Amino acid sequence: MKSSISIDSLEYPYPTYIPSKTAAGCVAALVSISLLAWFIQTCQQRFQPRRISFLLLISHMTIFIELIVRATVPSKNQNSKAVFSIINILFAIGQRMIIVGNFAFITEMHHKKSRFIVLSAIFCVVTSGILMVPANMLSYKSDTINTSYIFRELSAVVLLFITLLFYPVWYWSKTIKDMNNQALILISISSIMCITAATFNVIQSLSTFYTEINSTEGWFYAFQMTPIIFAHFTWSIFHPKRSLVSKHPLIERTKSEQIITNEELPVDTI
């Protein structure tokens, strides 16, 4: 048992598997399809709504770049501190942008520019990211590994908390009844995928499972990358130009036309 702990300490925080360049390249090609689809549709909408447009564009790009790094960096350099940090930062940004995008979507549904909701989501994901700084810094010294795990677990719990908090916020926003089918599918799948990835982050952050999970690349693609890619394709398929539309456009249109008509009604000249 002592020898096992010693080996684990030497391996932490790096993965022990040899990354597959072929797998990373193929998945990167898949992500590029969703990235291109999102970019074209967003350009057609002139990057409106602006928040969601940029959040999802950044998410697509960071995940794509992360996979390109995995596919191009030589295997002997994969576990260098610089490459390890770059890969983790890129993935963390991509994952967190989707989470904030979910909150931004419901605030745009009624055209309510509720900064509090979006800023609260940003605060939580940034806090989660900040907690990972000491987690990584303390992970390279054997006498501070236990403290590193504590920060890693706190970071993962904060991220899971904000993904679960989305549902009461969604209910409180009272936007469900006004969402069309595409919006409901989009936000449901995206939020579930975020919870899946965040739950896996919590499990992975535990010292009991960290080394075992990081010994097989399949865990990463199955429970971290797959939910993110699935969420990306869902956003691209049900782009806000189709999903961010009220179920009652006729009523809204009638009201707006009535206002215009009243304003443009000519004065009686008799």
Side-chain angles (χ1 to χ4, degrees):
M1 178 64 71
K2 290 183 179 180
S3 60
S4 174
I5 294 174
S6 176
I7 292 173
D8 290 350
S9 299
L10 291 172
E11 293 169 349
Y12 180 78
Y14 303 113
T16 56
Y17 58 78
I18 299 175
S20 171
K21 297 184 181 300
T22 303
C26 291
V27 177
L30 195 62
V31 172
S32 68
I33 297 173
S34 180
L35 170 59
L36 186 61
W38 178 263
F39 182 73
I40 292 173
Q41 294 179 93
T42 302
C43 286
Q44 291 173 344
Q45 290 297 107
R46 298 181 180 180
F47 287 85
Q48 295 297 330
R50 197 168 298 278
R51 286 177 185 170
I52 299 174
S53 297
F54 283 105
L55 285 169
L56 269 296
L57 183 61
I58 293 170
S59 178
H60 274 92
M61 291 181 66
T62 50
I63 295 298
F64 177 73
I65 295 170
E66 191 260 0
L67 289 164
I68 293 298
V69 172
R70 282 178 174 268
T72 55
V73 172
S75 299
K76 62 180 181 180
N77 296 330
Q78 286 282 351
N79 281 352
S80 68
K81 187 182 292 187
V83 174
F84 179 77
S85 298
I86 290 171
I87 287 176
N88 279 274
I89 290 171
L90 288 170
F91 182 83
I93 293 173
Q95 180 184 12
R96 284 158 174 77
M97 290 300 99
I98 299 176
I99 294 172
V100 177
N102 291 339
F103 284 90
F105 186 88
I106 59 175
T107 62
E108 292 284 352
M109 197 66 219
H110 283 168
H111 303 289
K112 294 178 180 178
K113 305 299 181 181
S114 180
R115 292 184 178 181
F116 176 75
I117 294 177
V118 177
L119 288 176
S120 298
I122 293 173
F123 174 77
C124 288
V125 298
V126 169
T127 300
S128 174
I130 291 173
L131 288 170
M132 282 303 299
V133 175
N136 288 328
M137 291 177 63
L138 297 172
S139 63
Y140 302 106
K141 297 180 180 180
S142 58
D143 58 335
T144 57
I145 285 179
N146 289 335
T147 308
S148 171
Y149 272 119
I150 293 173
F151 280 105
R152 192 177 295 276
E153 290 164 10
L154 285 173
S155 173
V157 168
V158 170
L159 197 65
L160 179 60
F161 168 76
I162 191 61
T163 58
L164 292 173
L165 185 63
F166 170 77
Y167 290 100
V169 172
W170 186 14
Y171 175 80
W172 170 79
S173 69
K174 299 179 180 179
T175 56
I176 299 175
K177 65 180 182 300
D178 294 321
M179 289 185 175
N180 60 24
N181 291 335
Q182 293 193 39
L184 288 171
I185 293 171
L186 165 61
I187 209 65
S188 297
I189 293 177
S190 181
S191 59
I192 290 171
M193 292 300 101
C194 287
I195 288 176
T196 301
T199 302
F200 182 76
N201 285 347
V202 173
I203 297 172
Q204 185 185 33
S205 69
L206 301 174
S207 57
T208 310
F209 301 105
Y210 187 89
T211 303
E212 183 178 351
I213 289 174
N214 280 277
S215 64
T216 306
E217 190 174 21
W219 289 107
F220 167 74
Y221 283 109
F223 294 102
Q224 284 189 301
M225 191 56 72
T226 298
I228 299 302
I229 295 174
F230 206 80
H232 279 168
F233 270 94
T234 305
W235 278 96
S236 295
I237 294 170
F238 302 104
H239 193 276
K241 73 176 185 179
R242 290 182 293 274
S243 56
L244 198 59
V245 179
S246 175
K247 283 176 65 177
H248 311 291
L250 183 60
I251 296 174
E252 294 178 357
R253 184 180 174 185
T254 303
K255 288 181 179 179
S256 62
E257 287 178 349
Q258 185 177 359
I259 293 171
I260 294 171
T261 303
N262 291 336
E263 289 177 350
E264 296 180 355
L265 193 65
V267 179
D268 190 357
T269 57
I270 298 176

